[in-house]
Amino acid sequence: MALSLPEALAKLPRHPLLYSHPSPIHPLPALTSYLNTNPPKSPKSTPQIRLFAKREDQSSPLACSGNKYRKLEYIVPDILSPQPLYNSYPNNTPNPNHPPTSNQKTTTLITEGAIQSNHTIQVSSLANHLNLSSVALLHKGTGGGLSASTDKTSFLRTGNPQIAHLLGADIRVLEPGSTNGGRTDTVEPVLAELRAAGKTPYWIPSGASLHPLGGVGYARCAFEIAAQEKQLGARFDYIFVACGSGSTVGGLIAGFKMLERMESSSSPPSQNTGGKTKPPRKIIGIINSPTKPQTWHEERVLRFARQAGSLIGLEDASQAITLEADVHLDGRFAGAAYGVLDEDTKRTMEIAARKEALILDPVYTGKVLSGVMGWVEGGGLVGDWEGRGGGVAGDGEGPLNALFIHTGGQAALAAYADLE
């Protein structure tokens, strides 16, 4: 599928890791029917809300397909460069006063995450794809998945760690730290160890979000979704996605902001009913960890969105993307802790599996779909639509369309022995 990308985005180096076709978008008719059986009545109407899923878990031929491959596509060219611009710990920020002096090519990818990290699997798989080695630092103290498990031995060995072993990653399971805000700096010693062994490591931060290029892949995804909208004949009024490290939702915000600019400058608004233009698509990030306050996540996503916006050619990105207008996060579905399976998420996973044969994961997608269902069942979606000037939903305007982005993660299910 050819995408109409802005010039700056089209020129950015990219190493394809995804299939040549977009990850599929398909309707969820059984869930749609389930949620519309007894919908909450707004003061004015009872609209139909249609649910769709974008299957990022089916986007790549590499192991455990998920959202990180789309991010990594724009990082690979720097990895393969003889003088990587962004290879610095901890946040890959280039230092113009100290340019790289080594012409040694990268030999090893190193990253970190929780015990059941999806990101570390996708980085390890990428390393194999590039004929490199990989090191995965897995922190026991990240989140509460391990501490909440009734079978800790299984949690440490099955699911993603098992796949990492199959991929041949050098796995370092690290104990919770006691300094530096609760965690010792365990990365620098490993980097020094690798360099002393004659290797050239390339650091990829958790989730790839702190990497300057981390949000570009999902800025591009916005244009992919828009192209699929035309094929489906349906615009997605709401897009729900997990907010973990933050660059997936930040990239989407930047991409759709740029898309709106391009649409408004190229032709009159086409998405209208009875001469009235619809409100912009709204991206809602469902926070999956209660560790940090929501304001921390919002500021982080804003930073990532502006950074991605600047890279794809959005003029004055720092003014064009604002906290109030563009960053919409919801922390009500995060549960007790990152990686902990709560009853609401378990219920959602069961409903999705039994009504759509859709398998979710307990860390991200289960909580996101819980959020989607909460917005629909609680009347929040209709109320937000009408509050933003979308008119009376269901009153001659057709249904509201909500897109759930499935970011993968099902491989972690094997570690959750309590899920029956």
Side-chain angles (χ1 to χ4, degrees):
M1 175 185 289
L3 303 182
S4 300
L5 300 176
E7 184 178 1
L9 176 54
K11 287 182 176 179
L12 285 175
R14 171 177 168 259
H15 180 96
L17 299 174
L18 309 181
Y19 289 117
S20 57
H21 56 80
S23 63
I25 292 178
H26 60 80
L28 299 173
L31 272 175
T32 292
S33 177
Y34 173 79
L35 292 175
N36 282 285
T37 300
N38 293 298
K41 294 184 178 181
S42 78
K44 302 176 182 177
S45 63
T46 304
Q48 173 83 1
I49 297 171
R50 294 192 301 181
L51 301 186
F52 296 76
K54 182 164 177 63
R55 302 300 298 271
E56 294 291 83
D57 61 323
Q58 299 177 8
S59 65
S60 173
L62 300 182
C64 302
S65 182
N67 62 320
K68 303 304 187 295
Y69 287 129
R70 195 180 286 273
K71 298 182 184 185
L72 292 167
E73 286 192 318
Y74 283 94
I75 299 176
V76 171
D78 195 57
I79 292 171
L80 298 179
S81 170
Q83 289 191 328
L85 179 62
Y86 300 114
N87 187 15
S88 63
Y89 174 77
N91 57 11
N92 298 85
T93 302
N95 186 343
N97 297 320
H98 299 283
T101 56
S102 172
N103 285 318
Q104 292 180 310
K105 292 187 177 180
T106 298
T107 64
T108 308
L109 302 184
I110 176 171
T111 192
E112 65 179 345
I115 294 295
Q116 290 296 329
S117 165
N118 304 317
H119 167 74
T120 58
I121 293 299
Q122 291 175 56
V123 170
S124 298
S125 180
L126 171 64
N128 290 359
H129 172 73
L130 299 177
N131 197 28
L132 305 174
S133 61
S134 63
V135 177
L137 307 179
L138 304 182
H139 297 278
K140 284 185 175 181
T142 298
L146 176 61
S147 60
S149 175
T150 58
D151 188 346
K152 293 178 174 52
T153 300
S154 177
F155 196 90
L156 288 165
R157 294 182 56 194
T158 59
N160 281 324
Q162 183 180 39
I163 294 171
H165 279 292
L166 283 171
L167 291 169
D170 177 1
I171 302 171
R172 316 282 183 94
V173 179
L174 306 174
E175 299 293 334
S178 58
T179 62
N180 189 25
R183 191 182 106 194
T184 54
D185 188 347
T186 52
V187 179
E188 282 283 17
V190 179
L191 290 170
E193 172 196 327
L194 293 170
R195 293 183 185 115
K199 299 179 180 180
T200 304
Y202 189 102
W203 168 249
I204 301 176
S206 180
S209 287
L210 286 174
H211 195 290
L213 300 170
V216 176
Y218 272 88
R220 179 189 177 93
C221 186
F223 290 86
E224 182 175 297
I225 291 171
Q228 290 174 288
E229 286 178 333
K230 293 178 181 178
Q231 289 185 336
L232 292 165
R235 190 191 82 152
F236 299 114
D237 305 298
Y238 290 86
I239 298 169
F240 291 84
V241 67
C243 179
S245 58
S247 63
T248 298
V249 61
L252 285 170
I253 290 169
F256 278 112
K257 179 66 72 171
M258 186 71 185
L259 180 68
E260 290 166 12
R261 285 265 185 99
M262 294 170 64
E263 288 175 340
S264 63
S265 63
S266 63
S267 62
S270 57
Q271 298 292 343
N272 57 64
T273 304
K276 183 172 183 178
T277 303
K278 285 188 173 183
R281 305 169 185 85
K282 186 168 185 175
I283 298 94
I284 299 174
I286 302 298
I287 297 172
N288 65 280
S289 173
T291 306
K292 299 285 187 180
Q294 183 162 324
T295 52
W296 183 89
H297 288 284
E298 290 170 343
E299 290 167 3
R300 185 176 167 102
V301 167
L302 178 65
R303 184 168 75 253
F304 294 154
R306 287 173 171 175
Q307 182 170 264
S310 296
L311 288 170
I312 68 172
L314 181 63
E315 294 183 4
D316 300 323
S318 60
Q319 285 77 45
I321 300 174
T322 67
L323 194 65
E324 297 76 14
D326 303 300
V327 180
H328 310 289
L329 305 183
D330 190 339
R332 294 175 296 165
F333 307 93
Y338 173 82
V340 174
L341 178 61
D342 59 276
E343 286 302 314
D344 287 342
T345 303
K346 182 179 179 181
R347 168 183 170 267
T348 297
M349 294 174 69
E350 290 173 347
I351 290 172
R354 294 168 188 178
K355 294 193 174 296
E356 293 284 0
L358 178 66
I359 304 302
L360 308 176
D361 82 289
V363 182
Y364 296 98
T365 55
K367 292 181 179 180
V368 175
L369 194 58
S370 285
V372 176
M373 293 172 65
W375 274 71
V376 175
E377 292 175 322
L381 207 66
V382 173
D384 182 84
W385 179 254
E386 296 178 355
R388 291 196 296 136
V392 179
D395 186 14
E397 290 192 347
L400 292 179
N401 297 313
L403 179 66
F404 155 63
I405 298 185
H406 193 316
T407 52
Q410 298 99 318
L413 279 171
Y416 283 80
D418 299 330
L419 182 60
E420 298 178 352

